Amino acid sequence: MGYGNLTEFILLGLFHNEDVKAICAVLFLLCYLAILCGNLVVLLTIKGSQLSEQPMYFFLSYLSFMDVCFTTTVAPKFIIGLLVQCNTISYNGCIAQMFYAHFFGATEIFILVVMAYDRYVAICRPLYYMLTMSRQVCYILVIGSVFGAFIHSLVHVLVIIRLPFCGTNEIDHYFCDIFPLLKLACTDTRLLVIVIITTTGVMSILTFVALVISYIIILSILRTRSSEGRRKALSTCGSHITIVFMFFLPLIFTYVPMGDSVGNDKVFALFYTMIAPLFNPLIYTLRNTDMKNAMRKVWCQDKLFEGK
């Protein structure tokens, strides 16, 4: 525990009007259930079909799993906060929520980078694809993503637990995050804010720019391919690009400003904690013929067996 006197925090949430909170509680509960169902359907479809043998869908299954974990770290407490008068969270619970939110979120970012690399190898070096993206390499890339996310999250926790909290315990957010907590510390945190912006914000920008450049290269190469091959590649790349924009742009707006725009941060955070995970399954299924065919085989086959 930090060396201040606070043992719990109060999450002020996203809304203050009681009528709005009640309506939003139902709305976000439905969103959360849709996120769970949608991503679990994608995950089980991949695991229950031959798609799991393909590196792209192997990574997509882990992306769906991270979506479920990431949203579950934030959504239940957020929804409960809309229904109760005072939404409290213990000091240890707050630190744990921040750690897991950054851990699952960072793992998702690294997996998105890995998926971009997978598409680059598949389209730009197709003859070496199965050798380059062997199952062993895929596991190493996933483990590397998890390890990198763990280090990232641990650094954030080490920053917070060393700070004294002796004033107000009201967090102007709907979950525990680094900037709202820094604002409550009883010490000068301007240097720490700059460090967080440099590590998290700038790295988010550089990762986003690198992903966009990689997809520009891929799209330029696709112009020389046959119409059928180009159509299929554009379908998968288009899904990836859509998710990258939906996830990274709000993340950049959250962590690049100088930590004083927490009110806007709460709105931006909704995009990468609730909205992007909600649309991920739709984007990857509605625009993907392989996924739609696999879903028909896995789920319709199960119904046939149940009928027998």
Side-chain angles (χ1 to χ4, degrees), residues 17-97:
N17 185 292
E18 294 300 323
D19 293 332
V20 172
K21 287 171 68 175
I23 296 171
C24 288
V26 176
L27 178 63
F28 284 115
L29 177 60
L30 293 175
C31 288
Y32 177 55
L33 294 175
I35 289 168
L36 292 182
C37 293
N39 283 286
L40 288 175
V41 165
V42 171
L43 178 61
L44 295 174
T45 298
I46 293 172
K47 294 299 182 182
S49 69
Q50 294 182 340
L51 290 180
S52 60
E53 299 172 4
Q54 301 180 36
M56 185 183 82
Y57 296 102
F58 173 82
F59 295 128
L60 179 57
S61 67
Y62 280 96
L63 184 70
S64 295
F65 180 64
M66 287 302 117
D67 272 338
V68 170
C69 295
F70 184 35
T71 305
T72 300
T73 303
V74 175
K77 189 68 178 173
F78 171 46
I79 295 167
I80 291 171
L82 294 171
L83 298 173
V84 299
Q85 193 69 29
C86 185
N87 188 22
T88 61
I89 185 170
S90 68
Y91 178 91
N92 291 334
C94 187
I95 297 300
Q97 187 184 54

Coordinates of all heavy atoms in Angstrom, one line a residue, residues 17-97:
N17 N -26.2 12.3 -13.6 CA -27.7 12.3 -13.6 C -28.2 10.9 -13.3 O -27.9 10.0 -14.0 CB -28.2 12.9 -15.0 CG -29.7 13.0 -15.0 OD1 -30.5 12.0 -14.9 ND2 -30.2 14.2 -15.0
E18 N -29.1 10.8 -12.3 CA -29.5 9.5 -11.9 C -30.3 8.8 -12.9 O -30.2 7.5 -13.1 CB -30.3 9.6 -10.6 CG -29.5 10.0 -9.4 CD -28.4 9.1 -9.0 OE1 -28.6 7.9 -9.2 OE2 -27.3 9.6 -8.7
D19 N -31.2 9.5 -13.6 CA -32.0 8.9 -14.7 C -31.1 8.4 -15.8 O -31.3 7.3 -16.4 CB -33.0 9.9 -15.2 CG -34.1 10.3 -14.2 OD1 -34.3 9.4 -13.3 OD2 -34.6 11.4 -14.2
V20 N -30.1 9.2 -16.2 CA -29.2 8.8 -17.3 C -28.4 7.6 -16.8 O -28.2 6.7 -17.6 CB -28.3 10.0 -17.6 CG1 -27.2 9.5 -18.6 CG2 -29.0 11.1 -18.2
K21 N -28.0 7.5 -15.6 CA -27.2 6.4 -15.1 C -28.0 5.1 -15.1 O -27.4 4.1 -15.5 CB -26.8 6.7 -13.6 CG -25.7 7.8 -13.5 CD -25.4 8.2 -12.1 CE -24.8 7.1 -11.3 NZ -24.4 7.5 -9.9
A22 N -29.3 5.2 -14.8 CA -30.1 3.9 -14.8 C -30.2 3.4 -16.2 O -30.1 2.2 -16.5 CB -31.5 4.3 -14.2
I23 N -30.5 4.3 -17.2 CA -30.6 3.9 -18.6 C -29.3 3.3 -19.1 O -29.3 2.3 -19.8 CB -31.1 5.1 -19.5 CG1 -32.5 5.5 -19.0 CG2 -31.1 4.7 -20.9 CD1 -32.9 6.8 -19.7
C24 N -28.2 4.0 -18.8 CA -26.9 3.6 -19.3 C -26.5 2.3 -18.6 O -25.7 1.5 -19.3 CB -25.8 4.7 -19.0 SG -26.0 6.1 -20.1
A25 N -26.9 2.0 -17.4 CA -26.6 0.8 -16.8 C -27.1 -0.4 -17.6 O -26.4 -1.4 -17.8 CB -27.1 0.7 -15.3
V26 N -28.3 -0.3 -18.0 CA -29.0 -1.3 -18.8 C -28.3 -1.4 -20.2 O -27.9 -2.5 -20.7 CB -30.5 -1.0 -19.1 CG1 -31.1 -2.1 -20.0 CG2 -31.2 -1.0 -17.7
L27 N -28.0 -0.2 -20.8 CA -27.3 -0.2 -22.1 C -25.9 -0.9 -22.1 O -25.6 -1.7 -22.9 CB -27.2 1.3 -22.6 CG -26.5 1.5 -23.9 CD1 -27.3 0.8 -25.1 CD2 -26.4 3.0 -24.2
F28 N -25.1 -0.5 -21.1 CA -23.8 -1.0 -21.0 C -23.8 -2.5 -20.5 O -22.8 -3.2 -20.9 CB -22.9 -0.1 -20.1 CG -22.5 1.2 -20.7 CD1 -22.9 2.4 -20.2 CD2 -21.7 1.2 -21.8 CE1 -22.6 3.6 -20.8 CE2 -21.3 2.4 -22.4 CZ -21.7 3.6 -21.9
L29 N -24.8 -2.9 -19.8 CA -24.9 -4.3 -19.4 C -25.1 -5.1 -20.7 O -24.5 -6.2 -20.9 CB -26.0 -4.5 -18.4 CG -26.3 -6.0 -18.0 CD1 -25.0 -6.6 -17.4 CD2 -27.5 -6.1 -17.1
L30 N -26.0 -4.6 -21.5 CA -26.3 -5.3 -22.8 C -25.0 -5.4 -23.7 O -24.7 -6.4 -24.3 CB -27.4 -4.7 -23.6 CG -28.8 -4.8 -22.9 CD1 -29.8 -3.9 -23.7 CD2 -29.2 -6.2 -22.8
C31 N -24.3 -4.2 -23.7 CA -23.0 -4.1 -24.5 C -22.0 -5.2 -23.9 O -21.3 -5.9 -24.7 CB -22.4 -2.7 -24.4 SG -23.3 -1.5 -25.4
Y32 N -21.9 -5.2 -22.6 CA -21.0 -6.2 -22.0 C -21.3 -7.6 -22.3 O -20.4 -8.4 -22.7 CB -20.9 -5.9 -20.5 CG -20.0 -6.9 -19.8 CD1 -18.7 -7.0 -20.1 CD2 -20.5 -7.7 -18.7 CE1 -17.8 -7.9 -19.4 CE2 -19.7 -8.5 -18.0 CZ -18.3 -8.6 -18.4 OH -17.5 -9.5 -17.7
L33 N -22.6 -8.0 -22.3 CA -23.0 -9.3 -22.6 C -22.8 -9.6 -24.1 O -22.4 -10.7 -24.4 CB -24.5 -9.5 -22.3 CG -24.9 -9.4 -20.8 CD1 -26.4 -9.5 -20.6 CD2 -24.2 -10.5 -20.0
A34 N -23.0 -8.6 -24.9 CA -22.7 -8.8 -26.4 C -21.2 -9.0 -26.6 O -20.8 -9.8 -27.5 CB -23.2 -7.5 -27.1
I35 N -20.4 -8.3 -25.9 CA -18.9 -8.4 -26.0 C -18.5 -9.8 -25.6 O -17.7 -10.5 -26.3 CB -18.2 -7.4 -25.1 CG1 -18.3 -6.0 -25.7 CG2 -16.7 -7.7 -25.0 CD1 -17.9 -4.9 -24.8
L36 N -19.0 -10.3 -24.5 CA -18.7 -11.7 -24.0 C -19.2 -12.7 -25.1 O -18.4 -13.6 -25.5 CB -19.4 -11.9 -22.7 CG -18.9 -11.2 -21.5 CD1 -19.7 -11.6 -20.2 CD2 -17.4 -11.4 -21.3
C37 N -20.4 -12.6 -25.5 CA -21.0 -13.6 -26.5 C -20.2 -13.5 -27.8 O -19.8 -14.6 -28.3 CB -22.5 -13.3 -26.7 SG -23.5 -13.7 -25.2
G38 N -20.1 -12.3 -28.3 CA -19.5 -12.1 -29.6 C -18.0 -12.7 -29.7 O -17.7 -13.4 -30.6
N39 N -17.2 -12.3 -28.7 CA -15.8 -12.7 -28.7 C -15.7 -14.2 -28.4 O -14.8 -14.8 -28.9 CB -15.0 -11.8 -27.7 CG -14.7 -10.5 -28.3 OD1 -13.9 -10.3 -29.2 ND2 -15.4 -9.5 -27.8
L40 N -16.5 -14.7 -27.5 CA -16.5 -16.1 -27.2 C -16.9 -17.0 -28.4 O -16.4 -18.0 -28.7 CB -17.3 -16.5 -26.0 CG -16.8 -16.0 -24.7 CD1 -17.8 -16.3 -23.5 CD2 -15.4 -16.6 -24.3
V41 N -17.9 -16.5 -29.2 CA -18.3 -17.2 -30.4 C -17.1 -17.2 -31.4 O -16.8 -18.3 -32.0 CB -19.5 -16.5 -31.1 CG1 -19.7 -17.0 -32.5 CG2 -20.8 -16.8 -30.3
V42 N -16.4 -16.1 -31.6 CA -15.2 -16.0 -32.5 C -14.2 -17.0 -32.0 O -13.6 -17.8 -32.7 CB -14.7 -14.6 -32.5 CG1 -13.3 -14.6 -33.3 CG2 -15.6 -13.7 -33.3
L43 N -13.9 -17.0 -30.6 CA -12.9 -17.8 -30.0 C -13.2 -19.3 -30.2 O -12.3 -20.1 -30.7 CB -12.7 -17.5 -28.6 CG -11.7 -18.3 -27.7 CD1 -10.3 -18.1 -28.3 CD2 -11.8 -17.9 -26.3
L44 N -14.4 -19.7 -29.9 CA -14.8 -21.1 -30.0 C -14.9 -21.6 -31.4 O -14.6 -22.7 -31.7 CB -16.2 -21.3 -29.3 CG -16.1 -21.1 -27.7 CD1 -17.5 -21.2 -27.2 CD2 -15.2 -22.1 -27.1
T45 N -15.3 -20.6 -32.3 CA -15.4 -21.0 -33.8 C -14.0 -21.3 -34.3 O -13.8 -22.3 -35.0 CB -16.0 -19.8 -34.6 OG1 -17.3 -19.6 -34.1 CG2 -16.0 -20.2 -36.1
I46 N -13.0 -20.5 -33.9 CA -11.6 -20.7 -34.4 C -11.1 -22.0 -33.8 O -10.5 -22.9 -34.5 CB -10.7 -19.5 -34.1 CG1 -11.2 -18.3 -34.9 CG2 -9.3 -19.9 -34.3 CD1 -10.5 -17.0 -34.5
K47 N -11.3 -22.2 -32.5 CA -10.7 -23.4 -31.8 C -11.4 -24.7 -32.3 O -10.8 -25.8 -32.3 CB -10.9 -23.3 -30.3 CG -10.1 -22.2 -29.6 CD -8.6 -22.4 -29.8 CE -7.8 -21.3 -29.1 NZ -6.3 -21.5 -29.4
G48 N -12.7 -24.6 -32.7 CA -13.4 -25.7 -33.1 C -13.4 -26.0 -34.6 O -14.1 -26.9 -35.1
S49 N -12.6 -25.3 -35.3 CA -12.5 -25.5 -36.8 C -11.1 -25.5 -37.2 O -10.1 -25.4 -36.4 CB -13.2 -24.3 -37.5 OG -12.5 -23.1 -37.3
Q50 N -10.8 -25.7 -38.5 CA -9.5 -25.8 -39.1 C -8.8 -24.4 -39.2 O -7.6 -24.3 -39.5 CB -9.5 -26.4 -40.5 CG -9.9 -27.9 -40.4 CD -9.9 -28.5 -41.8 OE1 -9.9 -27.9 -42.8 NE2 -9.8 -29.9 -41.8
L51 N -9.6 -23.4 -38.9 CA -9.0 -22.0 -38.9 C -7.9 -21.9 -37.9 O -7.0 -21.0 -38.1 CB -10.1 -21.0 -38.7 CG -11.2 -20.7 -39.7 CD1 -12.1 -19.7 -39.3 CD2 -10.5 -20.4 -41.1
S52 N -8.0 -22.6 -36.8 CA -6.9 -22.5 -35.8 C -5.6 -22.9 -36.3 O -4.5 -22.5 -35.7 CB -7.3 -23.4 -34.6 OG -7.4 -24.8 -35.0
E53 N -5.5 -23.6 -37.4 CA -4.2 -24.0 -38.0 C -3.6 -22.8 -38.8 O -2.4 -22.9 -39.0 CB -4.4 -25.2 -38.9 CG -4.9 -26.4 -38.3 CD -5.3 -27.5 -39.2 OE1 -5.0 -27.3 -40.5 OE2 -5.8 -28.6 -38.8
Q54 N -4.3 -21.8 -39.1 CA -3.8 -20.6 -39.8 C -3.3 -19.6 -38.8 O -4.1 -19.2 -37.9 CB -4.9 -20.1 -40.7 CG -5.4 -21.0 -41.7 CD -6.4 -20.4 -42.6 OE1 -6.3 -19.2 -43.0 NE2 -7.4 -21.2 -43.0
P55 N -2.1 -19.0 -39.0 CA -1.6 -18.1 -38.0 C -2.5 -16.9 -37.8 O -2.6 -16.4 -36.6 CB -0.3 -17.6 -38.7 CG 0.1 -18.8 -39.5 CD -1.1 -19.4 -40.0
M56 N -3.1 -16.3 -38.8 CA -3.9 -15.2 -38.7 C -5.1 -15.4 -37.7 O -5.4 -14.6 -36.8 CB -4.5 -14.7 -40.0 CG -5.3 -13.4 -39.9 SD -6.1 -12.9 -41.5 CE -7.6 -14.0 -41.5
Y57 N -5.7 -16.6 -37.8 CA -6.8 -16.9 -36.9 C -6.4 -17.3 -35.5 O -7.1 -17.2 -34.6 CB -7.8 -17.9 -37.6 CG -8.4 -17.4 -38.8 CD1 -7.9 -17.7 -40.1 CD2 -9.5 -16.5 -38.8 CE1 -8.5 -17.2 -41.2 CE2 -10.0 -15.9 -39.9 CZ -9.5 -16.3 -41.1 OH -10.1 -15.8 -42.3
F58 N -5.2 -17.9 -35.5 CA -4.6 -18.2 -34.2 C -4.4 -17.0 -33.4 O -4.8 -16.9 -32.2 CB -3.2 -18.9 -34.5 CG -2.4 -19.1 -33.2 CD1 -2.6 -20.2 -32.4 CD2 -1.4 -18.2 -32.9 CE1 -1.8 -20.5 -31.3 CE2 -0.6 -18.5 -31.8 CZ -0.8 -19.6 -31.0
F59 N -3.9 -15.9 -34.0 CA -3.7 -14.6 -33.3 C -5.1 -14.0 -33.0 O -5.3 -13.4 -32.0 CB -2.9 -13.7 -34.1 CG -1.4 -14.1 -34.3 CD1 -0.9 -14.2 -35.6 CD2 -0.7 -14.5 -33.2 CE1 0.4 -14.6 -35.8 CE2 0.6 -14.9 -33.4 CZ 1.2 -15.0 -34.7
L60 N -6.0 -14.1 -33.9 CA -7.4 -13.5 -33.7 C -8.1 -14.2 -32.5 O -8.8 -13.5 -31.8 CB -8.2 -13.7 -35.0 CG -9.7 -13.2 -34.9 CD1 -9.7 -11.7 -34.6 CD2 -10.4 -13.5 -36.3
S61 N -7.8 -15.5 -32.3 CA -8.4 -16.1 -31.1 C -7.9 -15.5 -29.8 O -8.6 -15.3 -28.9 CB -8.2 -17.6 -31.2 OG -6.8 -17.9 -31.0
Y62 N -6.6 -15.2 -29.8 CA -6.0 -14.6 -28.6 C -6.5 -13.1 -28.5 O -6.6 -12.6 -27.4 CB -4.5 -14.6 -28.7 CG -4.0 -16.0 -28.3 CD1 -3.6 -17.0 -29.2 CD2 -3.8 -16.3 -26.9 CE1 -3.2 -18.2 -28.8 CE2 -3.3 -17.5 -26.5 CZ -3.0 -18.5 -27.5 OH -2.5 -19.7 -27.1
L63 N -6.7 -12.4 -29.6 CA -7.2 -11.1 -29.6 C -8.6 -11.1 -29.0 O -8.9 -10.2 -28.1 CB -7.2 -10.5 -31.0 CG -7.7 -9.0 -31.1 CD1 -6.6 -8.1 -30.5 CD2 -7.9 -8.6 -32.5
S64 N -9.4 -12.0 -29.4 CA -10.8 -12.1 -28.8 C -10.8 -12.4 -27.3 O -11.5 -11.9 -26.5 CB -11.6 -13.2 -29.5 OG -11.8 -12.8 -30.9
F65 N -9.8 -13.3 -26.9 CA -9.7 -13.6 -25.5 C -9.2 -12.4 -24.7 O -9.8 -12.1 -23.6 CB -8.7 -14.7 -25.3 CG -8.4 -15.2 -23.9 CD1 -9.5 -15.7 -23.2 CD2 -7.2 -15.0 -23.3 CE1 -9.3 -16.1 -21.8 CE2 -7.0 -15.4 -22.0 CZ -8.0 -15.9 -21.3
M66 N -8.3 -11.6 -25.3 CA -7.9 -10.4 -24.6 C -9.0 -9.4 -24.5 O -9.1 -8.6 -23.5 CB -6.7 -9.8 -25.4 CG -5.4 -10.5 -25.2 SD -4.8 -10.7 -23.5 CE -4.9 -12.4 -23.3
D67 N -9.8 -9.3 -25.5 CA -11.0 -8.4 -25.5 C -11.9 -8.7 -24.3 O -12.4 -7.9 -23.6 CB -11.8 -8.5 -26.8 CG -11.3 -7.5 -27.9 OD1 -10.7 -6.5 -27.5 OD2 -11.6 -7.8 -29.0
V68 N -12.2 -10.0 -24.1 CA -13.0 -10.5 -23.0 C -12.4 -10.1 -21.7 O -13.1 -9.6 -20.8 CB -13.3 -12.0 -23.1 CG1 -14.0 -12.5 -21.8 CG2 -14.2 -12.3 -24.3
C69 N -11.1 -10.4 -21.5 CA -10.4 -10.1 -20.3 C -10.3 -8.6 -20.0 O -10.6 -8.2 -18.9 CB -9.0 -10.8 -20.3 SG -9.0 -12.5 -20.4
F70 N -10.0 -7.9 -21.0 CA -9.8 -6.4 -20.9 C -11.1 -5.8 -20.4 O -11.2 -5.0 -19.5 CB -9.3 -5.8 -22.2 CG -9.0 -4.4 -22.2 CD1 -8.5 -3.8 -21.0 CD2 -9.2 -3.6 -23.3 CE1 -8.2 -2.4 -21.0 CE2 -8.9 -2.2 -23.3 CZ -8.4 -1.7 -22.1
T71 N -12.2 -6.1 -21.1 CA -13.5 -5.5 -20.8 C -14.0 -6.0 -19.4 O -14.6 -5.2 -18.7 CB -14.5 -5.9 -21.9 OG1 -14.0 -5.5 -23.2 CG2 -15.8 -5.1 -21.6
T72 N -13.7 -7.2 -19.1 CA -14.2 -7.7 -17.8 C -13.5 -7.1 -16.6 O -14.0 -6.9 -15.5 CB -14.0 -9.3 -17.8 OG1 -14.7 -9.9 -18.8 CG2 -14.4 -9.9 -16.4
T73 N -12.2 -6.6 -16.9 CA -11.5 -5.9 -15.9 C -12.2 -4.5 -15.5 O -12.1 -4.1 -14.3 CB -10.1 -5.6 -16.3 OG1 -9.4 -6.8 -16.7 CG2 -9.3 -4.9 -15.3
V74 N -12.9 -3.9 -16.5 CA -13.4 -2.6 -16.3 C -15.0 -2.6 -16.2 O -15.5 -1.9 -15.3 CB -13.0 -1.7 -17.5 CG1 -13.6 -0.3 -17.4 CG2 -11.5 -1.5 -17.5
A75 N -15.6 -3.3 -17.1 CA -17.1 -3.2 -17.2 C -17.9 -3.5 -16.0 O -18.8 -2.7 -15.7 CB -17.5 -4.0 -18.4
P76 N -17.7 -4.6 -15.3 CA -18.6 -5.0 -14.2 C -18.6 -3.9 -13.1 O -19.7 -3.5 -12.6 CB -18.0 -6.3 -13.6 CG -17.3 -6.9 -14.8 CD -16.8 -5.7 -15.6
K77 N -17.4 -3.3 -12.8 CA -17.4 -2.3 -11.8 C -18.0 -1.0 -12.3 O -18.7 -0.3 -11.5 CB -15.9 -2.0 -11.4 CG -15.7 -1.1 -10.2 CD -16.1 -1.7 -8.9 CE -15.9 -0.8 -7.7 NZ -16.5 -1.4 -6.5
F78 N -17.8 -0.7 -13.6 CA -18.4 0.5 -14.2 C -20.0 0.4 -14.2 O -20.6 1.3 -13.8 CB -17.9 0.6 -15.6 CG -18.6 1.6 -16.5 CD1 -18.8 2.9 -16.0 CD2 -19.0 1.3 -17.8 CE1 -19.4 3.9 -16.7 CE2 -19.6 2.3 -18.5 CZ -19.9 3.6 -18.0
I79 N -20.5 -0.8 -14.5 CA -22.0 -1.0 -14.5 C -22.5 -0.9 -13.1 O -23.6 -0.3 -12.9 CB -22.3 -2.3 -15.2 CG1 -21.9 -2.3 -16.7 CG2 -23.8 -2.6 -15.1 CD1 -21.9 -3.7 -17.4
I80 N -21.9 -1.5 -12.2 CA -22.3 -1.4 -10.8 C -22.3 0.0 -10.3 O -23.2 0.4 -9.6 CB -21.4 -2.3 -9.9 CG1 -21.6 -3.8 -10.2 CG2 -21.7 -2.0 -8.4 CD1 -20.6 -4.7 -9.5
G81 N -21.3 0.8 -10.7 CA -21.2 2.2 -10.3 C -22.4 3.0 -10.8 O -22.7 4.0 -10.2
L82 N -23.0 2.6 -11.9 CA -24.1 3.3 -12.5 C -25.4 3.0 -11.6 O -26.4 3.8 -11.7 CB -24.4 2.9 -13.9 CG -23.3 3.3 -14.9 CD1 -23.5 2.7 -16.3 CD2 -23.2 4.8 -15.1
L83 N -25.4 2.0 -10.8 CA -26.6 1.6 -10.1 C -26.5 1.9 -8.6 O -27.5 2.0 -8.0 CB -26.7 0.0 -10.2 CG -27.0 -0.5 -11.6 CD1 -27.0 -2.0 -11.6 CD2 -28.3 0.0 -12.2
V84 N -25.3 2.2 -8.1 CA -25.2 2.5 -6.7 C -24.9 4.0 -6.5 O -24.4 4.7 -7.4 CB -24.1 1.7 -6.0 CG1 -24.4 0.2 -6.1 CG2 -22.7 2.0 -6.6
Q85 N -25.1 4.5 -5.3 CA -24.9 5.9 -5.0 C -23.5 6.2 -4.9 O -23.0 7.3 -5.3 CB -25.7 6.3 -3.7 CG -25.8 7.8 -3.4 CD -26.8 8.4 -4.3 OE1 -27.7 7.8 -4.8 NE2 -26.5 9.7 -4.6
C86 N -22.7 5.4 -4.2 CA -21.3 5.6 -4.0 C -20.5 4.4 -4.4 O -20.6 3.4 -3.7 CB -21.0 6.0 -2.5 SG -19.3 6.5 -2.1
N87 N -19.8 4.5 -5.5 CA -19.0 3.4 -6.0 C -17.6 3.4 -5.5 O -16.7 4.1 -6.0 CB -19.0 3.5 -7.5 CG -18.4 2.2 -8.2 OD1 -18.4 1.1 -7.6 ND2 -18.0 2.3 -9.4
T88 N -17.3 2.6 -4.4 CA -16.0 2.6 -3.8 C -15.2 1.4 -4.3 O -15.8 0.4 -4.7 CB -16.1 2.5 -2.3 OG1 -16.8 1.3 -1.9 CG2 -16.9 3.7 -1.7
I89 N -13.9 1.6 -4.2 CA -13.0 0.5 -4.5 C -11.8 0.6 -3.6 O -11.3 1.7 -3.3 CB -12.5 0.5 -6.0 CG1 -11.6 -0.7 -6.4 CG2 -11.8 1.9 -6.3 CD1 -11.4 -0.8 -7.9
S90 N -11.3 -0.5 -3.1 CA -10.2 -0.5 -2.1 C -8.9 -0.1 -2.8 O -8.8 -0.2 -4.1 CB -10.1 -1.9 -1.5 OG -9.6 -2.9 -2.5
Y91 N -8.0 0.3 -2.0 CA -6.7 0.7 -2.6 C -6.1 -0.5 -3.4 O -5.6 -0.3 -4.5 CB -5.7 1.1 -1.5 CG -4.3 1.5 -1.9 CD1 -4.0 2.8 -2.3 CD2 -3.3 0.5 -2.1 CE1 -2.8 3.1 -2.7 CE2 -2.1 0.9 -2.5 CZ -1.8 2.2 -2.8 OH -0.5 2.5 -3.3
N92 N -6.0 -1.7 -2.8 CA -5.5 -2.8 -3.4 C -6.3 -3.2 -4.7 O -5.7 -3.6 -5.7 CB -5.4 -4.0 -2.5 CG -4.3 -3.8 -1.4 OD1 -3.4 -3.1 -1.6 ND2 -4.5 -4.5 -0.2
G93 N -7.6 -3.1 -4.6 CA -8.5 -3.4 -5.7 C -8.2 -2.4 -6.9 O -8.2 -2.8 -8.0
C94 N -8.0 -1.2 -6.5 CA -7.7 -0.1 -7.5 C -6.4 -0.4 -8.3 O -6.3 -0.3 -9.5 CB -7.7 1.2 -6.9 SG -7.5 2.6 -8.0
I95 N -5.4 -0.7 -7.5 CA -4.0 -1.1 -8.1 C -4.2 -2.3 -9.0 O -3.6 -2.3 -10.1 CB -3.0 -1.3 -7.0 CG1 -2.8 0.0 -6.1 CG2 -1.7 -1.7 -7.6 CD1 -2.3 1.2 -6.9
A96 N -4.9 -3.3 -8.5 CA -5.1 -4.5 -9.3 C -5.8 -4.2 -10.6 O -5.5 -4.7 -11.6 CB -5.9 -5.6 -8.5
Q97 N -6.9 -3.4 -10.5 CA -7.6 -3.1 -11.7 C -6.8 -2.3 -12.7 O -6.8 -2.6 -13.9 CB -8.9 -2.2 -11.4 CG -9.8 -2.0 -12.6 CD -10.9 -1.0 -12.3 OE1 -10.7 0.1 -11.8 NE2 -12.1 -1.5 -12.5

